[in-house]
Structure formats: C-alpha cells, structure tokens
Amino acid sequence: MSSVINVRGLEKSYGANKAVAGIDLTIEPGEIFALLGPNGAGKTTTVEILEGFRDRDRGDVSVLGTDPGVKGEQARKWRNRIGIVLQSTNDAGDLSVYETVAHFAKYYSNPRGVDEVIDAVGLTDKSTALIRTLSGGQRRRLDVALGIIGSPELLFLDEPTTGFDPEARRAFWALIQDLRKSGATILLTTHYLDEAEALADRVAVINQGKIIEVATPALLGGRATSLATVSWKGPNGLQSERTDNPTALIRKLTETYKDEIPELTVKRASLEDIYLEMIGGADVSQ
Amino acid sequence: MSVNKVPSALAIGIARGGLEVKQFMRQRESVVFTLAFPIMLLAIFGSVFTNELSDGVTFSQYFVAGMIASGLVNTGFQQLAIMIPVERDFGTLKRLQGTPMPASSYFIGKSIVVFVTMVIQIALLLIAGVLFFGVNLPTDPAKWFTFTWLIILGSAASTALGIAFSVIPKSGRGASAVVSPVVIILQFFSGVFFVFTDLPGWMQQVAAIFPLKWMTQGMRSVFLPDSFAAQEVAGTWETGRTFWIILAWLIAGLVISIKTFKWEQAR
C-alpha cells in the first residue's frame, strides 16, 4: 500500500518570506503523525497546502494519491475521502448538534451514522442542544464530529486542544485514540509537546520552513540516549549524578541501600527540553 | 474507498437551502425586522403622502410596488452581501470548502433562502396593504404572470449580485457600512420613495443602469392601472426591456460570483 501523504521538495513564499523552504514528508496509512513547530515555522502553510486550501510554488505533493490542487469534480471526489478539523469555527449557533451533523452527512457518499458519530465524540447528551449553548470543549468535539462524519481515510486535526483545560484535553486525547481504531490516518498539528507525545506515532519538528527531524516521540532529538539524571537521598542530603548508563548506577545503589533507595528518581530530558533545543529557543508558548 | 457517488451539487444545494431557511427562522429578531420593516415603511409613507397621483392611484399603491422591488434587493443583495463576509470571518465558509460541497451548492442554498424569505415578506406586505392601506390587487392574470416572473428573475439576480458583491467588504463587521449606503442610494434614485418621474433627469439616468429601477417599474406595471403607463419616462411599461436588463444583471452577477467568490478573507 502506498503512502497516504507524500511530499517532495515543497516550497512556498509570501513575497520575500519563504514560509516553506523545501519540505519532504511521508505519512503511512494508519499513522497518527504530529507536526510540531513554533508559530511562523511554516506548519500552517504546509498543512493548508496538503488540505488543498493553498497553492504551492514548487514541489510534488500527493495526498491519497491525488494532487490537492485538483479542481472541480475531481476535487469533490478527493474531499469525499478526507476530513478537516480547522482551528476555530464559530458559526451556525442556531442549529442543534444533531441537525448540523446530519446536514454535513449529506455532503458525503458514505457517511457514518449520525448518532454513532455524535456518540463517538461524547455529545449524545447534547444532541438536541443548540450549538450556541455548547462550551468551548463541546464545540471542539462537534468540529471533530463534522470532520469524521464522511468516514475519512485521512483526517487533518489543526491544534485541536488549544484553549482546553487539562481534563478536557485528556478526554479529547482519548477520543483521538479511539479514532485511530477506525483505521484513519491522522495528521495532527500542535503546539503542545505532551499532546504529540501522548498521541503521535511519529513527530516531525518544523522550523524556518524546514523539517529538522522526524522520529518517534521517544527517539526525537536522541532523547533515548541522552544523559539521564539519577537522584536520591544520601547521607548528606539529596545527591544526583548524570550518567549515560542509569541502570548500572542504580544497580550499584541497590548494594548500598539494601531495601529502598530513598527518593529515587531517574530523569531524562523531556520532549520539551529536546524540542526547545532543536528550535533554538524560538517562541513555543503561542 | 467508496462505490457510492458523491451526492450531486443540486441535492446538496437543496439541503443547504432547507438548513438556511431553518437558521433564518430561528433568528427571531431578524425575522421580525425583515418581515415587518417593509410594512412599517408602507405605514409611514402611506400616512405622510395621502394625495392621489392620478385618477384612483394613491401614493400607497405606487409605494407598494416600490417596496416589493426594494424587498427583492434587501432580502437578496443586501442580506447576502452583509452575511457572506460574516460567514467568511466566522470560518463557516472555510469549513465548507474543506468538504465535498461545491460552491454551486452554496449558491443554490442562498437562492432558496432568499426566495423563501422574499415570498413571505411580499405576502405579508400585500396582506397589510390590502387590509390597512387601501392597496388594490390586480385582477388581470397577465399582470400576475408578470409579477411571478419579476419575482423569480429579480430574486435570482439579487442573489447573484449579493454573492458577487460579498467580496468587497473587508470584514463581516464592516460589511453593513459598505453595503447599506449602496442600497439606500439606489432606492432613492430608483423611485422607491418618490415618484420616479419627479426625480432629476440625471438621477433617472443613473438609476436606469441598475436593476432596482427596472424591478420597481415592472412592479408598477403590475400594481398600477395601464393608463398610468403614459406617465412613465418612456410612456410605456417597457416590460420587454425590463426582462432583458434584469436578466443581463443576473448573468453578470453569476459570472462575477463564479470568478471571484472567496472562501476565506485574504490575509
């Protein structure tokens, strides 16, 4: 089976500003792929080109075997197979959740069941509620419902949890993990490192229009092999040691402390530490 | 991978029309305003100008023709040219762009909601006119035939021009300030509030370029006795010319809409 997304040498400039400066990207079927990067890194431009919202200057792009720049009937057939959850939409407040999802179902050849989708995003209780009465998190769930109603083979999720409280984010992540079971490929863009870590099979870090690295969250930036900090409470208070072999150190410690090593922690660089280093301290906070 | 075909643009357009009508009906304030405003204007003008324009033609009778014609412009052109930029700002259009729904379905949906609201508006205006302001309805079937095609063609042209004009306002918030003056000036120039032939010649000539003048004149041919045609600028109702001019505007509106329609505000 061929790749879901295949990008070679993608470039796009706005005037003198080169927003995307030669990107290569391959995303395989069934993957949750996260695109990480600070504002202005070229993340949004790249995704919008893949979504068919924007033209490109140069490069080969194939999404589900189709050039996203197609027009007319071909574009409709292509859009019938993808789902897009945009950053923020604020509309149609006078319709109910059910009415809105049922309406969007009419756009697709093979829609999922309306009730099933509303249930999947956890809005069953709000099915008859008008959209303007929904909370921010519930609205976001509705956005996802509209993104998946057409049974997409590929789903774009653009910063899905911006503005969520921690609990709502966890709940939302569970929803995305459920979606993966349906077999859809998901391209996620996010500001949040923990989000990428919780959801993504692979992460690409993009900065200044280029992809710096593509790896699993665990391996990104040589994270797995970076020095670990082992700390514990010794006779003279808290002690710590940086080592490339924490297991050996702990083995040694277990000989000293027969029972429990007091206040033992092993800390590797967090994804955030690695990421900040990679993008050279650019703004990540939004 | 589906074996089913993507639903047709027409089927989606009709579904959108139903949805838009439902949305419109739920915005109570705008429903009341849209439907009651022409009646209020008729009440005001009908009370201010009580004179007869000629044998048996009251100002209310003359004015009702103008109000119906400007209703065509208000519910179509004005509403859409204001609402579409708002939908663009809200991201409604971008979301739709990301679905298999084509622009033509969106246009069809808009024409349906415009047509439905307009028919209700005109019906209420005529009922109020007959009951309270002594407006006489035509009895000749030929006049009702003219009335029908004027409404269908006029609403289609007004819809197309509203969509075409919707690219001009830079934001939803400023749209009303850009669109409303255009409509109000056209109403003054086209003989909606005053007797057209009383207007200065240059105003008449400017108005003759735009469709509202022709819609108003067409409606006069429906609601005023044929003897009144002698008082028109051309001395006749110019029904054929009215048809062609509105049709030309409809085609122009469609072409511009298709060529320039924007899903997103340029940044």
Short mmCIF file of all heavy atoms in Angstrom, two decimals, chain A residues 1 48 52-54 76-77 79-81 84 86 88-92 94-96 99 103-104 106-110 130 143 146 153, chain B residues 1-9 12 15-16 19 22-23 26-27 90-92 94-102 264 267:
data_model
loop_
_atom_site.label_atom_id
_atom_site.label_comp_id
_atom_site.label_asym_id
_atom_site.label_seq_id
_atom_site.Cartn_x
_atom_site.Cartn_y
_atom_site.Cartn_z
N MET A 1 0.85 -1.20 0.00
CA MET A 1 0.00 0.00 0.00
C MET A 1 0.88 1.24 0.00
O MET A 1 1.86 1.34 0.72
CB MET A 1 -0.86 -0.03 1.27
CG MET A 1 -1.70 1.22 1.43
SD MET A 1 -3.45 0.86 1.41
CE MET A 1 -4.12 2.48 1.24
N GLU A 48 -2.01 23.58 5.11
CA GLU A 48 -3.05 24.14 4.23
C GLU A 48 -2.81 23.77 2.76
O GLU A 48 -3.75 23.66 1.99
CB GLU A 48 -3.15 25.66 4.41
CG GLU A 48 -3.69 26.00 5.80
CD GLU A 48 -4.48 27.28 5.84
OE1 GLU A 48 -4.15 28.20 5.08
OE2 GLU A 48 -5.43 27.36 6.65
N GLY A 52 -5.42 21.40 0.45
CA GLY A 52 -5.96 21.96 -0.78
C GLY A 52 -6.48 23.38 -0.62
O GLY A 52 -7.20 23.88 -1.47
N PHE A 53 -6.14 24.05 0.46
CA PHE A 53 -6.59 25.42 0.68
C PHE A 53 -5.64 26.45 0.07
O PHE A 53 -5.98 27.61 -0.05
CB PHE A 53 -6.69 25.73 2.18
CG PHE A 53 -7.86 25.05 2.86
CD1 PHE A 53 -7.80 24.71 4.20
CD2 PHE A 53 -9.03 24.79 2.16
CE1 PHE A 53 -8.89 24.10 4.83
CE2 PHE A 53 -10.12 24.19 2.78
CZ PHE A 53 -10.04 23.84 4.12
N ARG A 54 -4.43 26.03 -0.22
CA ARG A 54 -3.42 26.97 -0.65
C ARG A 54 -2.60 26.38 -1.81
O ARG A 54 -2.41 25.17 -1.87
CB ARG A 54 -2.46 27.24 0.53
CG ARG A 54 -2.10 28.66 0.73
CD ARG A 54 -1.62 28.92 2.13
NE ARG A 54 -2.74 29.13 3.03
CZ ARG A 54 -3.51 30.21 3.02
NH1 ARG A 54 -3.27 31.18 2.18
NH2 ARG A 54 -4.50 30.33 3.85
N ARG A 76 -13.98 17.25 -5.59
CA ARG A 76 -15.07 16.76 -4.73
C ARG A 76 -14.83 15.30 -4.36
O ARG A 76 -15.04 14.91 -3.22
CB ARG A 76 -16.41 16.91 -5.44
CG ARG A 76 -16.80 18.34 -5.72
CD ARG A 76 -18.22 18.44 -6.21
NE ARG A 76 -19.13 17.97 -5.18
CZ ARG A 76 -20.32 17.42 -5.43
NH1 ARG A 76 -20.74 17.27 -6.66
NH2 ARG A 76 -21.09 17.03 -4.44
N LYS A 77 -14.42 14.50 -5.34
CA LYS A 77 -14.16 13.08 -5.06
C LYS A 77 -13.05 12.94 -4.04
O LYS A 77 -13.09 12.07 -3.17
CB LYS A 77 -13.76 12.35 -6.35
CG LYS A 77 -14.94 12.05 -7.23
CD LYS A 77 -14.53 11.19 -8.41
CE LYS A 77 -15.71 10.98 -9.34
NZ LYS A 77 -15.28 10.68 -10.71
N ARG A 79 -12.11 15.28 -1.77
CA ARG A 79 -12.57 15.79 -0.47
C ARG A 79 -13.53 14.82 0.21
O ARG A 79 -13.69 14.84 1.43
CB ARG A 79 -13.24 17.16 -0.64
CG ARG A 79 -12.26 18.25 -1.05
CD ARG A 79 -12.69 19.61 -0.55
NE ARG A 79 -11.68 20.62 -0.84
CZ ARG A 79 -10.59 20.82 -0.12
NH1 ARG A 79 -10.37 20.04 0.94
NH2 ARG A 79 -9.73 21.74 -0.44
N ASN A 80 -14.18 14.01 -0.60
CA ASN A 80 -15.07 12.98 -0.05
C ASN A 80 -14.31 11.98 0.81
O ASN A 80 -14.89 11.29 1.62
CB ASN A 80 -15.75 12.27 -1.24
CG ASN A 80 -16.89 11.36 -0.82
OD1 ASN A 80 -17.72 11.74 -0.01
ND2 ASN A 80 -16.89 10.16 -1.34
N ARG A 81 -13.00 11.90 0.62
CA ARG A 81 -12.19 10.90 1.33
C ARG A 81 -11.36 11.49 2.47
O ARG A 81 -10.64 10.78 3.15
CB ARG A 81 -11.24 10.22 0.33
CG ARG A 81 -11.99 9.48 -0.79
CD ARG A 81 -11.04 9.05 -1.90
NE ARG A 81 -10.01 8.15 -1.42
CZ ARG A 81 -8.86 7.95 -2.05
NH1 ARG A 81 -8.58 8.61 -3.17
NH2 ARG A 81 -7.98 7.11 -1.56
N ILE A 84 -11.42 17.42 7.65
CA ILE A 84 -10.58 18.52 8.13
C ILE A 84 -11.21 19.13 9.37
O ILE A 84 -12.38 19.51 9.35
CB ILE A 84 -10.42 19.60 7.03
CG1 ILE A 84 -9.73 19.00 5.80
CG2 ILE A 84 -9.64 20.79 7.57
CD1 ILE A 84 -9.64 19.96 4.62
N LEU A 86 -10.67 22.28 11.47
CA LEU A 86 -9.93 23.54 11.45
C LEU A 86 -9.74 24.09 12.86
O LEU A 86 -10.33 23.60 13.81
CB LEU A 86 -10.70 24.57 10.62
CG LEU A 86 -10.83 24.24 9.14
CD1 LEU A 86 -11.85 25.17 8.51
CD2 LEU A 86 -9.50 24.39 8.46
N SER A 88 -10.54 27.13 14.38
CA SER A 88 -11.72 27.59 15.11
C SER A 88 -12.81 27.98 14.13
O SER A 88 -12.57 28.68 13.16
CB SER A 88 -11.37 28.79 15.98
OG SER A 88 -10.91 29.83 15.16
N THR A 89 -13.97 27.50 14.41
CA THR A 89 -15.12 27.92 13.63
C THR A 89 -16.15 28.37 14.64
O THR A 89 -16.24 27.83 15.72
CB THR A 89 -15.68 26.79 12.77
OG1 THR A 89 -15.46 25.57 13.44
CG2 THR A 89 -15.00 26.74 11.43
N ASN A 90 -16.91 29.36 14.26
CA ASN A 90 -17.80 29.98 15.22
C ASN A 90 -19.07 30.36 14.47
O ASN A 90 -19.29 31.49 14.13
CB ASN A 90 -17.10 31.23 15.77
CG ASN A 90 -17.98 31.95 16.75
OD1 ASN A 90 -18.91 31.37 17.31
ND2 ASN A 90 -17.71 33.23 16.94
N ASP A 91 -19.87 29.34 14.19
CA ASP A 91 -20.97 29.65 13.30
C ASP A 91 -22.21 28.83 13.60
O ASP A 91 -22.20 27.97 14.47
CB ASP A 91 -20.54 29.38 11.86
CG ASP A 91 -20.19 27.94 11.64
OD1 ASP A 91 -19.63 27.32 12.56
OD2 ASP A 91 -20.46 27.42 10.58
N ALA A 92 -23.26 29.08 12.86
CA ALA A 92 -24.48 28.28 12.89
C ALA A 92 -24.95 27.98 14.30
O ALA A 92 -25.33 26.87 14.63
CB ALA A 92 -24.28 26.99 12.11
N ASP A 94 -27.57 28.65 15.72
CA ASP A 94 -29.00 28.41 15.87
C ASP A 94 -29.43 27.01 15.45
O ASP A 94 -30.62 26.74 15.34
CB ASP A 94 -29.78 29.45 15.07
CG ASP A 94 -29.61 30.84 15.66
OD1 ASP A 94 -29.87 30.98 16.86
OD2 ASP A 94 -29.19 31.75 14.94
N LEU A 95 -28.46 26.15 15.18
CA LEU A 95 -28.81 24.77 14.82
C LEU A 95 -28.41 23.86 15.98
O LEU A 95 -27.50 24.17 16.73
CB LEU A 95 -28.07 24.35 13.55
CG LEU A 95 -28.42 25.12 12.29
CD1 LEU A 95 -27.45 24.76 11.17
CD2 LEU A 95 -29.84 24.84 11.87
N SER A 96 -29.07 22.71 16.06
CA SER A 96 -28.69 21.77 17.11
C SER A 96 -27.51 20.92 16.62
O SER A 96 -27.18 20.90 15.44
CB SER A 96 -29.86 20.86 17.46
OG SER A 96 -30.05 19.90 16.45
N GLU A 99 -28.79 18.34 14.12
CA GLU A 99 -29.11 18.93 12.81
C GLU A 99 -27.84 19.22 12.01
O GLU A 99 -27.79 18.99 10.80
CB GLU A 99 -29.89 20.24 12.99
CG GLU A 99 -31.31 20.05 13.42
CD GLU A 99 -31.97 21.35 13.88
OE1 GLU A 99 -31.26 22.28 14.34
OE2 GLU A 99 -33.20 21.43 13.80
N HIS A 103 -26.76 17.29 8.68
CA HIS A 103 -26.64 18.05 7.43
C HIS A 103 -25.30 17.77 6.73
O HIS A 103 -25.27 17.51 5.54
CB HIS A 103 -26.79 19.54 7.71
CG HIS A 103 -26.53 20.39 6.51
ND1 HIS A 103 -27.43 20.49 5.48
CD2 HIS A 103 -25.45 21.12 6.13
CE1 HIS A 103 -26.93 21.25 4.54
NE2 HIS A 103 -25.73 21.66 4.90
N PHE A 104 -24.22 17.81 7.49
CA PHE A 104 -22.91 17.56 6.87
C PHE A 104 -22.83 16.14 6.31
O PHE A 104 -22.10 15.89 5.35
CB PHE A 104 -21.77 17.83 7.87
CG PHE A 104 -21.33 19.27 7.88
CD1 PHE A 104 -22.12 20.25 8.48
CD2 PHE A 104 -20.15 19.66 7.27
CE1 PHE A 104 -21.74 21.58 8.47
CE2 PHE A 104 -19.75 21.01 7.25
CZ PHE A 104 -20.56 21.96 7.86
N LYS A 106 -24.88 14.76 4.57
CA LYS A 106 -25.42 14.76 3.21
C LYS A 106 -24.39 15.15 2.15
O LYS A 106 -24.67 15.10 0.97
CB LYS A 106 -26.61 15.73 3.13
CG LYS A 106 -27.79 15.24 3.93
CD LYS A 106 -28.94 16.24 3.87
CE LYS A 106 -30.07 15.75 4.77
NZ LYS A 106 -30.96 16.84 5.15
N TYR A 107 -23.23 15.61 2.58
CA TYR A 107 -22.21 16.02 1.61
C TYR A 107 -21.40 14.83 1.09
O TYR A 107 -20.68 14.96 0.11
CB TYR A 107 -21.22 17.00 2.25
CG TYR A 107 -21.80 18.33 2.70
CD1 TYR A 107 -21.01 19.23 3.41
CD2 TYR A 107 -23.10 18.70 2.40
CE1 TYR A 107 -21.51 20.46 3.83
CE2 TYR A 107 -23.61 19.91 2.82
CZ TYR A 107 -22.82 20.79 3.53
OH TYR A 107 -23.31 21.99 3.94
N TYR A 108 -21.47 13.70 1.80
CA TYR A 108 -20.54 12.59 1.52
C TYR A 108 -21.25 11.38 0.93
O TYR A 108 -22.44 11.16 1.18
CB TYR A 108 -19.83 12.18 2.81
CG TYR A 108 -18.99 13.29 3.38
CD1 TYR A 108 -19.53 14.19 4.29
CD2 TYR A 108 -17.66 13.45 3.00
CE1 TYR A 108 -18.77 15.23 4.81
CE2 TYR A 108 -16.89 14.48 3.52
CZ TYR A 108 -17.45 15.37 4.42
OH TYR A 108 -16.69 16.39 4.92
N SER A 109 -20.48 10.57 0.22
CA SER A 109 -21.07 9.38 -0.39
C SER A 109 -21.29 8.27 0.62
O SER A 109 -22.24 7.52 0.52
CB SER A 109 -20.17 8.87 -1.52
OG SER A 109 -18.95 8.40 -0.99
N ASN A 110 -20.40 8.16 1.60
CA ASN A 110 -20.50 7.07 2.58
C ASN A 110 -20.43 7.59 4.00
O ASN A 110 -19.51 7.26 4.74
CB ASN A 110 -19.34 6.10 2.39
CG ASN A 110 -19.70 4.97 1.47
OD1 ASN A 110 -20.87 4.76 1.17
ND2 ASN A 110 -18.70 4.23 1.03
N LEU A 130 -28.76 23.52 21.11
CA LEU A 130 -28.30 24.45 20.08
C LEU A 130 -26.80 24.69 20.26
O LEU A 130 -26.29 24.72 21.38
CB LEU A 130 -29.04 25.78 20.17
CG LEU A 130 -30.53 25.72 19.85
CD1 LEU A 130 -31.11 27.14 19.81
CD2 LEU A 130 -30.80 25.02 18.52
N ASP A 143 -16.74 19.97 16.15
CA ASP A 143 -15.85 20.15 14.99
C ASP A 143 -15.29 18.80 14.55
O ASP A 143 -15.20 18.51 13.35
CB ASP A 143 -14.68 21.08 15.34
CG ASP A 143 -15.13 22.52 15.52
OD1 ASP A 143 -16.22 22.87 15.03
OD2 ASP A 143 -14.39 23.30 16.15
N LEU A 146 -17.86 16.74 12.76
CA LEU A 146 -18.05 17.16 11.37
C LEU A 146 -16.87 16.72 10.51
O LEU A 146 -17.02 16.48 9.31
CB LEU A 146 -18.24 18.67 11.29
CG LEU A 146 -19.46 19.22 12.04
CD1 LEU A 146 -19.56 20.73 11.88
CD2 LEU A 146 -20.73 18.54 11.58
N GLU A 153 -10.58 8.74 5.10
CA GLU A 153 -9.39 7.88 5.18
C GLU A 153 -8.25 8.66 5.81
O GLU A 153 -7.30 8.09 6.33
CB GLU A 153 -8.98 7.43 3.78
CG GLU A 153 -10.02 6.56 3.11
CD GLU A 153 -9.83 6.49 1.60
OE1 GLU A 153 -8.69 6.23 1.16
OE2 GLU A 153 -10.80 6.72 0.87
N MET B 1 -12.69 4.19 0.43
CA MET B 1 -12.91 3.78 -0.96
C MET B 1 -14.39 3.48 -1.13
O MET B 1 -14.86 2.47 -0.66
CB MET B 1 -12.17 2.50 -1.32
CG MET B 1 -10.77 2.36 -0.80
SD MET B 1 -9.59 3.43 -1.54
CE MET B 1 -8.36 3.50 -0.27
N SER B 2 -15.06 4.35 -1.76
CA SER B 2 -16.49 4.13 -1.81
C SER B 2 -16.93 3.76 -3.20
O SER B 2 -16.35 4.15 -4.18
CB SER B 2 -17.22 5.38 -1.35
OG SER B 2 -17.37 6.24 -2.45
N VAL B 3 -17.99 2.98 -3.24
CA VAL B 3 -18.60 2.67 -4.52
C VAL B 3 -19.67 3.70 -4.83
O VAL B 3 -20.01 3.93 -5.98
CB VAL B 3 -19.21 1.25 -4.53
CG1 VAL B 3 -18.13 0.22 -4.74
CG2 VAL B 3 -19.95 0.98 -3.23
N ASN B 4 -20.19 4.33 -3.75
CA ASN B 4 -21.24 5.33 -3.96
C ASN B 4 -20.66 6.59 -4.58
O ASN B 4 -19.50 6.90 -4.40
CB ASN B 4 -21.88 5.71 -2.62
CG ASN B 4 -22.56 4.54 -1.96
OD1 ASN B 4 -22.83 3.54 -2.63
ND2 ASN B 4 -22.79 4.64 -0.68
N LYS B 5 -21.53 7.29 -5.28
CA LYS B 5 -21.08 8.56 -5.87
C LYS B 5 -21.29 9.70 -4.89
O LYS B 5 -22.18 9.67 -4.06
CB LYS B 5 -21.87 8.82 -7.16
CG LYS B 5 -21.34 8.01 -8.34
CD LYS B 5 -22.11 8.30 -9.60
CE LYS B 5 -21.91 9.73 -10.08
NZ LYS B 5 -22.60 9.96 -11.36
N VAL B 6 -20.45 10.71 -5.01
CA VAL B 6 -20.62 11.90 -4.20
C VAL B 6 -21.97 12.52 -4.56
O VAL B 6 -22.29 12.62 -5.74
CB VAL B 6 -19.48 12.90 -4.48
CG1 VAL B 6 -19.57 14.09 -3.55
CG2 VAL B 6 -18.13 12.22 -4.34
N PRO B 7 -22.77 12.92 -3.56
CA PRO B 7 -24.09 13.49 -3.86
C PRO B 7 -23.99 14.67 -4.83
O PRO B 7 -23.00 15.40 -4.83
CB PRO B 7 -24.60 13.95 -2.49
CG PRO B 7 -23.86 13.12 -1.51
CD PRO B 7 -22.52 12.84 -2.12
N SER B 8 -25.04 14.86 -5.64
CA SER B 8 -24.99 15.90 -6.66
C SER B 8 -25.01 17.28 -6.03
O SER B 8 -25.51 17.48 -4.92
CB SER B 8 -26.18 15.77 -7.61
OG SER B 8 -27.35 16.22 -6.97
N ALA B 9 -24.46 18.26 -6.77
CA ALA B 9 -24.42 19.64 -6.30
C ALA B 9 -25.83 20.15 -6.03
O ALA B 9 -26.06 20.89 -5.07
CB ALA B 9 -23.72 20.52 -7.33
N ILE B 12 -27.23 18.65 -2.70
CA ILE B 12 -26.61 19.32 -1.55
C ILE B 12 -27.13 20.76 -1.43
O ILE B 12 -27.41 21.24 -0.33
CB ILE B 12 -25.07 19.31 -1.66
CG1 ILE B 12 -24.55 17.86 -1.64
CG2 ILE B 12 -24.43 20.12 -0.54
CD1 ILE B 12 -23.03 17.74 -1.78
N ALA B 15 -30.49 20.77 0.17
CA ALA B 15 -30.33 20.52 1.60
C ALA B 15 -29.85 21.79 2.31
O ALA B 15 -30.30 22.14 3.40
CB ALA B 15 -29.35 19.37 1.84
N ARG B 16 -28.94 22.50 1.66
CA ARG B 16 -28.44 23.74 2.25
C ARG B 16 -29.55 24.79 2.34
O ARG B 16 -29.64 25.53 3.31
CB ARG B 16 -27.29 24.33 1.42
CG ARG B 16 -25.96 23.67 1.69
CD ARG B 16 -24.82 24.66 1.49
NE ARG B 16 -24.91 25.77 2.42
CZ ARG B 16 -24.54 25.73 3.68
NH1 ARG B 16 -24.03 24.65 4.20
NH2 ARG B 16 -24.67 26.80 4.45
N LEU B 19 -31.65 24.07 5.31
CA LEU B 19 -30.92 24.41 6.53
C LEU B 19 -30.89 25.92 6.75
O LEU B 19 -31.08 26.42 7.86
CB LEU B 19 -29.49 23.87 6.43
CG LEU B 19 -28.70 23.88 7.73
CD1 LEU B 19 -29.04 22.64 8.54
CD2 LEU B 19 -27.21 23.94 7.46
N LYS B 22 -34.19 27.25 7.91
CA LYS B 22 -34.35 26.90 9.32
C LYS B 22 -33.55 27.88 10.20
O LYS B 22 -34.05 28.40 11.19
CB LYS B 22 -33.83 25.48 9.52
CG LYS B 22 -34.31 24.80 10.79
CD LYS B 22 -33.68 23.43 10.95
CE LYS B 22 -34.45 22.32 10.28
NZ LYS B 22 -33.78 21.01 10.45
N GLN B 23 -32.31 28.13 9.81
CA GLN B 23 -31.47 29.05 10.59
C GLN B 23 -32.08 30.45 10.62
O GLN B 23 -32.11 31.10 11.64
CB GLN B 23 -30.08 29.15 9.96
CG GLN B 23 -29.13 28.08 10.42
CD GLN B 23 -27.81 28.20 9.70
OE1 GLN B 23 -27.64 27.66 8.62
NE2 GLN B 23 -26.88 28.92 10.28
N ARG B 26 -34.99 30.86 12.93
CA ARG B 26 -34.67 30.82 14.36
C ARG B 26 -34.07 32.11 14.87
O ARG B 26 -33.93 32.30 16.07
CB ARG B 26 -33.71 29.66 14.63
CG ARG B 26 -34.44 28.35 14.55
CD ARG B 26 -33.58 27.19 14.92
NE ARG B 26 -34.30 25.96 14.63
CZ ARG B 26 -33.76 24.76 14.65
NH1 ARG B 26 -32.49 24.62 14.96
NH2 ARG B 26 -34.48 23.70 14.38
N GLN B 27 -33.67 33.00 13.96
CA GLN B 27 -33.14 34.29 14.42
C GLN B 27 -34.30 35.26 14.52
O GLN B 27 -34.59 36.01 13.60
CB GLN B 27 -32.07 34.79 13.44
CG GLN B 27 -30.80 33.97 13.54
CD GLN B 27 -29.96 34.07 12.28
OE1 GLN B 27 -30.29 34.80 11.36
NE2 GLN B 27 -28.89 33.31 12.24
N PHE B 90 -16.30 34.05 10.29
CA PHE B 90 -16.55 33.01 11.28
C PHE B 90 -15.88 31.69 10.93
O PHE B 90 -15.86 30.78 11.74
CB PHE B 90 -18.06 32.77 11.42
CG PHE B 90 -18.74 33.72 12.34
CD1 PHE B 90 -20.11 33.66 12.53
CD2 PHE B 90 -18.03 34.68 13.03
CE1 PHE B 90 -20.76 34.53 13.39
CE2 PHE B 90 -18.66 35.56 13.89
CZ PHE B 90 -20.04 35.49 14.07
N GLY B 91 -15.39 31.55 9.70
CA GLY B 91 -14.78 30.29 9.31
C GLY B 91 -15.80 29.29 8.76
O GLY B 91 -15.45 28.17 8.43
N THR B 92 -17.06 29.72 8.67
CA THR B 92 -18.10 28.84 8.11
C THR B 92 -17.74 28.42 6.69
O THR B 92 -17.85 27.25 6.33
CB THR B 92 -19.45 29.59 8.05
OG1 THR B 92 -19.67 30.22 9.29
CG2 THR B 92 -20.59 28.64 7.75
N LYS B 94 -14.79 28.45 5.19
CA LYS B 94 -13.58 27.64 5.07
C LYS B 94 -13.91 26.19 5.43
O LYS B 94 -13.40 25.27 4.80
CB LYS B 94 -12.49 28.18 5.99
CG LYS B 94 -11.15 27.55 5.68
CD LYS B 94 -10.02 28.21 6.42
CE LYS B 94 -8.72 27.54 6.08
NZ LYS B 94 -7.62 28.04 6.90
N ARG B 95 -14.74 26.02 6.44
CA ARG B 95 -15.13 24.66 6.79
C ARG B 95 -15.86 23.99 5.62
O ARG B 95 -15.62 22.84 5.31
CB ARG B 95 -16.02 24.68 8.03
CG ARG B 95 -16.75 23.37 8.22
CD ARG B 95 -16.76 22.90 9.61
NE ARG B 95 -17.74 23.60 10.41
CZ ARG B 95 -17.74 23.59 11.75
NH1 ARG B 95 -16.80 22.95 12.39
NH2 ARG B 95 -18.66 24.24 12.41
N LEU B 96 -16.75 24.74 4.99
CA LEU B 96 -17.48 24.17 3.86
C LEU B 96 -16.54 23.85 2.71
O LEU B 96 -16.69 22.84 2.02
CB LEU B 96 -18.57 25.15 3.39
CG LEU B 96 -19.74 25.33 4.35
CD1 LEU B 96 -20.66 26.43 3.86
CD2 LEU B 96 -20.51 24.03 4.52
N GLN B 97 -15.55 24.71 2.52
CA GLN B 97 -14.59 24.50 1.43
C GLN B 97 -13.86 23.17 1.61
O GLN B 97 -13.47 22.53 0.64
CB GLN B 97 -13.57 25.65 1.41
CG GLN B 97 -12.66 25.61 0.20
CD GLN B 97 -11.50 26.59 0.33
OE1 GLN B 97 -11.29 27.20 1.38
NE2 GLN B 97 -10.74 26.74 -0.72
N GLY B 98 -13.68 22.75 2.86
CA GLY B 98 -12.97 21.51 3.14
C GLY B 98 -13.82 20.26 2.97
O GLY B 98 -13.35 19.17 3.19
N THR B 99 -15.07 20.43 2.58
CA THR B 99 -15.96 19.28 2.36
C THR B 99 -16.20 19.09 0.86
O THR B 99 -15.83 19.96 0.07
CB THR B 99 -17.32 19.50 3.04
OG1 THR B 99 -18.05 20.46 2.27
CG2 THR B 99 -17.17 20.00 4.46
N PRO B 100 -16.85 18.00 0.48
CA PRO B 100 -17.13 17.82 -0.95
C PRO B 100 -18.22 18.76 -1.47
O PRO B 100 -18.60 18.65 -2.63
CB PRO B 100 -17.61 16.36 -1.05
CG PRO B 100 -17.30 15.72 0.26
CD PRO B 100 -17.23 16.81 1.27
N MET B 101 -18.73 19.65 -0.63
CA MET B 101 -19.77 20.57 -1.09
C MET B 101 -19.19 21.59 -2.06
O MET B 101 -18.29 22.33 -1.68
CB MET B 101 -20.39 21.31 0.10
CG MET B 101 -21.57 22.17 -0.29
SD MET B 101 -21.70 23.68 0.68
CE MET B 101 -20.41 24.66 -0.08
N PRO B 102 -19.69 21.67 -3.30
CA PRO B 102 -19.14 22.67 -4.23
C PRO B 102 -19.75 24.04 -4.00
O PRO B 102 -20.83 24.16 -3.40
CB PRO B 102 -19.56 22.13 -5.60
CG PRO B 102 -20.79 21.34 -5.33
CD PRO B 102 -20.70 20.81 -3.92
N GLU B 264 -12.25 32.48 1.93
CA GLU B 264 -11.51 32.97 3.07
C GLU B 264 -11.15 34.42 2.84
O GLU B 264 -10.91 34.81 1.70
CB GLU B 264 -10.17 32.22 3.13
CG GLU B 264 -10.03 31.25 4.24
CD GLU B 264 -8.60 30.75 4.26
OE1 GLU B 264 -8.20 29.98 3.36
OE2 GLU B 264 -7.88 31.15 5.17
N ARG B 267 -5.33 37.34 3.72
CA ARG B 267 -4.63 37.95 4.86
C ARG B 267 -3.42 38.73 4.40
O ARG B 267 -2.96 38.59 3.32
CB ARG B 267 -4.16 36.93 5.88
CG ARG B 267 -4.25 35.51 5.39
CD ARG B 267 -3.71 34.55 6.42
NE ARG B 267 -4.31 33.25 6.22
CZ ARG B 267 -4.00 32.19 6.93
NH1 ARG B 267 -3.13 32.25 7.87
NH2 ARG B 267 -4.56 31.03 6.68
#
